[in-house]
Amino acid sequence: MTTAATDDGFVVFDRVQKSYDGETLVVKDLNLSIGKGEFLTMLGPSGSGKTTCLMMLAGFETATNGEIRLDGRNINMVPPHKRGIGMVFQNYALFPHMTVGENLSFPLEVRGMGRSEREAKIARALDMVQMGAFANRRPAQLSGGQQQRIALARALVFDPALVLMDEPLGALDKQLREHMQFEIKRLHESLGITVVYVTHDQGEALTMSDRVAVFNDGRIQQLAPPDELYERPQNSFVAQFIGENNKLPGTIEEIHEGRALVRLANGELIDATPVNIQARGQQTLVSIRPERVEFKPEMMPPGAHTIDAEVLEVIYMGDILRARLRVAGSDDFVMKMRNTLGQTRLSGGTRIRIGWHPQDARALDPM
Amino acid sequence: MTDAAAPLSTADGRPLKAALAASQTRARRRALALVAPLFLFVLITFVVPIGQMLFQSVYNPTFADAAPALRQWFDDNPPGAAIDESAFAALAADLKQMRAERTAGAAGTRINYDVAGTRSLFTAAARRADSLEPPYREAILDLDAGWGDPLLWRAMRSASSPITADFYLAALDLTRDQTGAIVQVDEKQRVYKLLFGRTLMLSALITFTCLLLAFPIAHLLATLPLAKSNLLMILVLLPFWTSLLVRTTSWIVLLQQQGVINNALVALGIVGADGRIQMIYNQMGTIIAMTHILLPFMVLPLYSVMRPIPPSYVRAARSLGATSWTAFRRIYLPQTLPGIGAGALLVFILAVGYYITPALVGGADGQLISNLIAFHMQKSLNWSLAAALAGLLLGGVLILYWLYDKLVGIDNLKLG
């Protein structure tokens, strides 16, 4: 699914294609419009073309076809140093032979800025990332998280309107990563800059972004705000890539007015919401989130459709209990239960009836 | 806090330090045994010969052994004392001994280093030593008036002591006059300083051309995908696997006046048949051939420094607003400095002591100091002077090394 590019975006990809070898397209017909002040994340598996898009925007790769516009101006032929885009690299790319202060001074020096003005800006940028006391350190003397902050400060010190981030938190441990996500989000909001963020971590994409563009196979599969992306995936790839997902293969038996009747592999009929399915007789994958599956009759949402299931195993995960069930012939159906005080503890071999609201069962393409 | 003061001990009460030492003894002994062969090899093949060489540059007992009486006389009489009958008597006694022991030639050669044309003086006098009668002064001066030359006596005095700095003086175009003061040798005889200067100048030039050529190659090697860069690396290393002699002679084939390049230039009409360019048997030949031969020594350290520099540094610089030239000058180049330093030091040190190539393609004005060292080793057999020249060369290289350490730091050296 691609949305049509509009001309009013701050950053516009207009029918952009990219090929490295002249035989295969790494980016296929990309249309994307990013608003001013927006936090847009490009999410996708490696090789999906997201980093290539970022590199084209930064100016390190040239688009094979199409046009990239920044603030209404075509920048296809503008060299990287004239684009005025801040960039944070995956490995930070802090210059090892310079101190932190010199690293931050570099973009200001090449712009011919005077000494006093430079120092004021450097101090402000370092304070912004709470690294004011580190101006005289070398990058090698800093921890990964501190280097990350300096890289961020360096990308912001010359007041760019657009900042690109190429998996900037990939090398940090989980706790630090979550903390830095928060910091980046805070900076984005307080500075009012536009951020294009590339990651393969869906959690990161969901928590930080205004909108997420899910990339696969050189195309944007879905471009939507995080909640819509998670709750209403437009195709099987997105449903599969974002969050945990149960998929039940079947055939469309009947389809009309936003309801579909799907015959599962074991012959059972269930209700589902058709998404990118048009005709009866078509193969489909019904996608259901594990946390939307219920097994206690009193908790069942009204209008829920129930189906037989056998508990195969229950995994204790602390905050939740994760049960693996056999449903309609498939062995990897997962149900998540909150670990509350009165929660029923299931055990392997138990036969139960599970159910969900037809709205939560989305009939998608069979991939 | 009492625990901290008492020495730690193991569970069975032995002091911890003793237990640690005991547990590591075996490993340490084995390590020592493994290193010992190399240590001995280095000692025998490297330290001893170089020590011997350096010793020989200040120690030459030839004359002192051949002329003990003169040595005694010089010890008894301070410099500047009149060369009187007693001196000639000592000389006569030594000449007789030289005749008996057939050392006149060697002794004469030793004096000949300092005062040219004196070797025959000794051999001729020794031949007739048995007929010498007192008064010796007249008798010897009768044989040859040259024996009265104060310079000769000055030379004999200095040669009579086996430990001498004369060879270092000679290697620096210096000598002593009759009063013993150090003066420059006659202008026509000054060769060593000129050659040292030329050696350093040419080596610096060769180092520079190597750097100029190697930098782009190393950069290409470091940025190409591995499959392609491996092929290129083989091309860089190919000269290593070819005989030095073959490589040098192939340059002769290319560069000589009737050679490939001149023929091509003539055929293209760029130069006339009588205007063939002299590209070999001069300094140019030395520079071209040695640059080619030493190039890998520059490429490899540069490559090893460039390979781990991720392209994101230059990209980051570009995204921060630097032109590609600024990004190169301020970001890329400084990070390659350890490689440049290592390569330059390596090439320069190798070039300073290079022998075969300048000997083959250097002609008259492309000779380096090493060729003169070889001359003294093989032709004039003045090993002490050769050792002094080599010692100066070694000292120069060590000074260079020290300077590099002061300016860049040896720990920054990356050889591969």
Side-chain angles (χ1 to χ4, degrees), chain A residues 55 60 80-81 85 87 89 91 93-98 106-107 109-111 154 158, chain B residues 310 312-324 326-327 330-332 334-335:
Chain A
M55 289 301 162
F60 300 128
H81 66 279
I85 299 174
M87 183 148 183
F89 291 82
N91 57 1
L94 295 176
F95 307 137
H97 59 294
M98 296 183 180
F106 184 79
E109 278 168 38
V110 298
R111 284 174 171 73
R154 190 180 64 178
F158 58 98
Chain B
S312 63
Y313 284 134
V314 169
R315 285 187 165 182
R318 299 272 281 146
S319 81
L320 292 169
T323 59
S324 46
T326 308
R330 294 207 41 203
I331 305 303
Y332 195 74
Q335 294 190 60

Side-chain angles (χ1 to χ4, degrees), chain B residues 102 115 366 369:
Chain B
R102 299 172 188 276
V115 185
I369 197 73

Side-chain angles (χ1 to χ4, degrees), chain A residues 161-175:
Chain A
L162 173 64
V163 177
L164 312 182
M165 302 192 188
D166 183 12
E167 309 211 13
L169 307 181
L172 302 181
D173 62 59
K174 186 169 174 289
Q175 233 172 357

Side-chain angles (χ1 to χ4, degrees), chain B residues 14 30 61 71 90 116 118 172 175 233 235 250 260 266 307 309 316 335 369 372 408 410:
Chain B
R14 278 190 307 159
R30 198 169 51 192
R71 188 176 174 188
T118 48
L172 289 167
T175 187
M233 185 58 107
L235 294 179
S250 59
V260 177
V266 170
R307 183 99 227 177
I309 299 179
Q335 294 190 60
I369 197 73
L372 215 63
V408 191
I410 286 300

Side-chain angles (χ1 to χ4, degrees), chain A residues 304-324:
Chain A
H305 183 96
T306 59
I307 184 168
D308 275 329
E310 183 191 345
V311 180
L312 295 175
E313 61 176 338
V314 179
I315 300 163
Y316 180 81
M317 297 181 77
D319 55 344
I320 56 160
L321 298 165
R322 196 166 173 278
R324 192 161 66 84

Side-chain angles (χ1 to χ4, degrees), chain A residues 270-284:
Chain A
I270 58 166
D271 275 334
T273 309
V275 180
N276 54 353
I277 291 296
Q278 286 88 30
R280 43 179 307 199
Q282 213 176 334
Q283 293 291 312
T284 181

Side-chain angles (χ1 to χ4, degrees), chain A residues 68-334:
Chain A
I68 301 172
R69 286 191 293 274
L70 176 63
D71 210 4
R73 192 167 60 112
N74 181 347
I75 55 166
N76 279 32
M77 291 322 229
V78 178
H81 66 279
K82 287 187 179 158
R83 296 193 179 191
I85 299 174
M87 183 148 183
V88 181
F89 291 82
Q90 193 170 7
N91 57 1
Y92 318 135
L94 295 176
F95 307 137
H97 59 294
M98 296 183 180
T99 63
V100 165
E102 285 163 351
N103 262 287
L104 263 71
S105 176
F106 184 79
L108 307 177
E109 278 168 38
V110 298
R111 284 174 171 73
M113 200 173 279
R115 188 187 177 83
S116 55
E117 197 181 347
R118 279 203 316 257
E119 275 167 7
K121 273 184 178 283
I122 292 168
R124 207 194 58 197
L126 283 178
D127 284 342
M128 208 156 64
V129 293
Q130 287 121 45
M131 293 287 287
F134 292 82
N136 293 318
R137 300 273 192 97
R138 298 249 167 200
Q141 296 169 304
L142 304 178
S143 70
Q146 290 170 332
Q147 292 190 28
Q148 180 55 62
R149 285 163 186 271
I150 299 303
L152 205 56
R154 190 180 64 178
L156 295 171
V157 71
F158 58 98
D159 301 320
L162 173 64
V163 177
L164 312 182
M165 302 192 188
D166 183 12
E167 309 211 13
L169 307 181
L172 302 181
D173 62 59
K174 186 169 174 289
Q175 233 172 357
L176 203 53
R177 197 162 58 222
E178 280 166 8
H179 183 71
M180 284 307 292
Q181 288 172 8
F182 171 75
E183 292 268 316
I184 291 174
K185 193 68 195 144
R186 182 180 61 82
L187 282 172
H188 164 247
E189 271 158 19
S190 65
L191 297 175
I193 47 174
T194 309
V195 176
V196 178
Y197 193 99
V198 163
T199 184
H200 62 265
D201 180 337
Q202 39 138 328
E204 211 164 277
L206 293 182
T207 50
M208 298 174 79
S209 325
D210 295 327
R211 281 194 301 163
V212 180
V214 182
F215 275 70
N216 188 41
D217 197 23
R219 285 183 202 281
I220 294 180
Q221 302 292 328
Q222 187 171 356
L223 174 67
D227 54 345
E228 194 183 320
L229 204 63
Y230 185 81
E231 287 166 29
R232 293 187 285 282
Q234 290 299 312
N235 58 36
S236 287
F237 175 81
V238 176
Q240 209 47 40
F241 193 74
I242 312 270
E244 211 174 353
N245 182 47
N246 290 311
K247 47 187 196 291
L248 295 172
T251 320
I252 302 285
E253 198 71 10
E254 231 181 273
I255 180 166
H256 67 91
E257 283 174 19
R259 279 176 73 99
L261 211 54
V262 179
R263 187 171 295 283
L264 298 179
N266 65 344
E268 197 153 352
L269 274 172
I270 58 166
D271 275 334
T273 309
V275 180
N276 54 353
I277 291 296
Q278 286 88 30
R280 43 179 307 199
Q282 213 176 334
Q283 293 291 312
T284 181
L285 273 181
V286 179
S287 143
I288 308 145
R289 296 286 183 202
E291 68 274 14
R292 297 288 170 100
V293 180
E294 194 51 68
F295 71 99
K296 281 181 280 194
E298 68 274 18
M299 302 287 283
M300 211 65 82
H305 183 96
T306 59
I307 184 168
D308 275 329
E310 183 191 345
V311 180
L312 295 175
E313 61 176 338
V314 179
I315 300 163
Y316 180 81
M317 297 181 77
D319 55 344
I320 56 160
L321 298 165
R322 196 166 173 278
R324 192 161 66 84
L325 313 173
R326 177 177 296 139
V327 175
S330 82
D331 275 351
D332 53 0
F333 194 97
V334 173

